[in-house]
Amino acid sequence: MKIATWNVNSVRARQERLLEWLKSAQPDILCLQELKCTEDDFPMEAVRDAGYHAAVHGQKTYNGVAILAKEEPRDVVKGLSDGVDDTHARLIAATVAGIRVVSAYAPNGQTVDSPQYEYKLEWYGRLRRYLDTRHKPDEALVLGGDWNVAPEDIDTYDPKLWEGQTLFTLKERDALQRLRAFGLTDAYRKLYPDTQRFSWWDYRMLGFPKNLGLRIDHLYVSAPLVPRLTGSDTDREARKGKQPSDHAPVWLELRD
DNA sequence: ATGGCTCGCCTCGCGAGA
């Protein structure tokens, strides 16, 4: 079983690339982030023609997440549903093939002194409570997303440069660590403890050709799935060429 | 090579992304 996550930076701007990637990569499940459209504007028919069902939690202009799957997603839950007044469409969950799948788009955080940064830290706490109230660490669980946090030095092209900057501050890394402490394993890092592999590159300043990137898109799996992990990587090819997303898809493979 | 930001929009310049 192949499970992937991809921040597409507008699903409508990326429609052709998305369809091409589904056709070539053939993931069983794909978590999408930054749809930048409402559910009504999501290209449902094109995705269906490509052989995928879609559970969509959309929003006009910003955010928006989805779960695409060859099998129909069941028991779809949209948002954190924790009673907090929050218009951001950043989370969707569904069950596919016996696995509870979560597609997450963590807040960016803008600058360290901004309200958005505080919102980001709070959002991480809310997601941890979401897991605590709805799930058990011994369930088959996969969280795919754009986490907007580089967990370790190796996940940045220049840890000194990124020190204290949004996406790499200690508070953000702690917030992500507390989420992982639920019982989640970073699939790529588990398989490749010492390999540097980025998932995002700035559009500006030749970020991609120079490989000045960050690993901020991760797939997390619960304990029962760890022994089934057989592979994980970033698909850099999907970042090449004209009109790419600034993120590349990240995938993992589970043995049956 | 992989190429110098890009997206949506109450759309011609701005806010946000990371």
Side-chain angles (χ1 to χ4, degrees), chain A residues 18-205:
Chain A
L18 171 63
L19 297 175
E20 279 170 30
W21 194 76
L22 287 172
K23 194 175 176 185
S24 61
Q26 291 290 315
D28 296 285
I29 302 167
L30 173 60
C31 300
L32 292 177
Q33 299 87 36
E34 266 206 281
L35 306 177
K36 290 188 170 178
C37 68
T38 60
E39 184 171 358
D40 285 346
D41 289 331
F42 184 88
M44 201 65 81
E45 282 193 23
V47 164
R48 192 181 302 129
D49 290 346
Y52 287 84
H53 300 269
V56 178
H57 185 30
Q59 178 186 339
K60 193 179 169 79
T61 313
Y62 302 112
N63 310 313
V65 287
I67 296 171
L68 274 50
K70 291 185 176 181
E71 189 178 296
E72 190 174 359
R74 306 280 179 190
D75 302 317
V76 176
V77 173
K78 300 178 183 185
L80 287 163
S81 312
D82 58 2
V84 175
D85 184 22
D86 189 344
T87 56
H88 296 206
R90 296 186 175 276
L91 200 85
I92 188 167
T95 301
V96 182
I99 298 174
R100 191 64 181 167
V101 180
V102 179
S103 178
Y105 177 42
N108 168 279
Q110 225 166 58
T111 53
V112 175
D113 56 0
S114 68
Q116 289 92 332
Y117 183 83
E118 291 307 314
Y119 172 71
K120 180 178 192 173
L121 298 178
E122 284 163 15
W123 184 89
Y124 266 98
R126 292 167 63 198
L127 181 52
R128 172 60 205 259
R129 286 192 287 280
Y130 173 99
L131 294 180
D132 287 337
T133 50
R134 292 170 179 268
H135 298 292
K136 296 268 187 293
D138 63 355
E139 286 173 38
L141 198 59
V142 174
L143 281 73
D146 172 2
W147 301 96
N148 270 319
V149 177
E152 300 177 273
D153 285 3
I154 192 175
D155 300 312
T156 78
Y157 61 86
D158 186 346
K160 275 278 181 285
L161 178 71
W162 279 90
E163 199 178 303
Q165 296 206 55
T166 317
L167 313 192
F168 197 55
T169 64
L170 289 176
K171 280 185 179 179
E172 290 163 271
R173 290 150 73 187
D174 283 350
L176 178 59
Q177 183 50 47
R178 283 195 292 275
L179 176 69
R180 293 167 53 151
F182 174 77
L184 301 171
T185 296
D186 180 339
Y188 181 77
R189 193 50 77 215
K190 173 73 175 176
L191 291 170
Y192 305 100
D194 304 313
T195 307
Q196 188 168 62
R197 189 73 95 234
F198 302 137
S199 66
W200 168 87
W201 300 260
D202 201 315
Y203 282 127
R204 298 163 295 185
M205 298 177 289

